[in-house]
Amino acid sequence: PRAPVCIDTANVCAGQALLAWRAGELAAAGADAAAIAAELERLRPLTRTWAMARDITHAVRGGRIPRWAGPVVRWSGLVPVAAVSPDGRLKVAGGLIARGRAPEAFARYVARRAGAAADGWRLVVGHADAAGDGERLLAALQARLAVSEAHLVEVGPAVGAHAGPGTLVVGLQPAPPG
């Protein structure tokens, strides 16, 4: 038997799901491990992931955000946005001033940075115990981007533990041709 192929997705959560989705499609179509690895290497830099957390208490408690930032965020109403960098690091990328309309503001933020994809976008929208906000975010993204396929999912325990309830995640990737 052949040794398994291991791919560093340089992504988290929704971006990782998109890469795994594509790998599964290729495997189901009969592609060999080398072809799948090559396609994932091509898609990795094109696969983008962002997250927003309305409440940063979990991130402060876990040491991912400095303690002083908690009161500043609460006082200002700023909703922090994180993004996965091309080298696979999750970093604070900006912020939104949008309490009640945060899902829609987040969709505008992502759409401005996404650009266009020749065959449209595949997206995964994840939520941490915030299905209604996830639905609003997905609808707002579909109104702003050419979306070929999309899924709304509940995020796993790592995102829930580190970012807390109410967190929203967006992963997008160019859709395969055809």
Side-chain angles (χ1 to χ4, degrees), residues 74-138:
R74 278 191 298 282
W75 176 79
S76 68
L78 186 69
V79 178
V81 174
V84 175
S85 67
D87 66 352
R89 297 180 192 273
L90 184 66
K91 298 181 177 186
V92 175
L96 308 169
I97 304 291
R99 289 183 189 227
R101 306 276 305 156
E104 292 78 12
F106 188 32
R108 284 190 303 275
Y109 180 93
V110 169
R112 280 194 305 267
R113 285 151 183 82
D119 293 296
W121 294 103
R122 279 187 162 174
L123 12 134
V124 171
V125 171
H127 68 87
D129 198 25
D133 282 351
E135 290 168 0
R136 289 172 49 200
L137 173 58
L138 180 55

Side-chain angles (χ1 to χ4, degrees), residues 2-75:
R2 291 185 170 190
V5 176
C6 184
I7 304 287
D8 178 359
T9 66
N11 247 287
V12 297
C13 192
Q16 223 169 32
L18 287 163
L19 290 163
W21 177 6
R22 184 66 181 138
E25 285 177 335
L26 293 169
D32 65 11
I36 295 169
E39 176 66 356
L40 295 186
E41 291 293 334
R42 184 189 74 78
L43 284 172
R44 182 174 47 201
L46 304 174
T47 303
R48 307 280 310 276
T49 304
W50 293 272
M52 62 153 262
R54 290 185 193 215
D55 178 5
I56 64 167
T57 305
H58 283 72
V60 169
R61 191 176 326 144
R64 297 197 182 303
I65 293 181
R67 194 161 297 286
W68 60 263
V72 171
V73 167
R74 278 191 298 282
W75 176 79

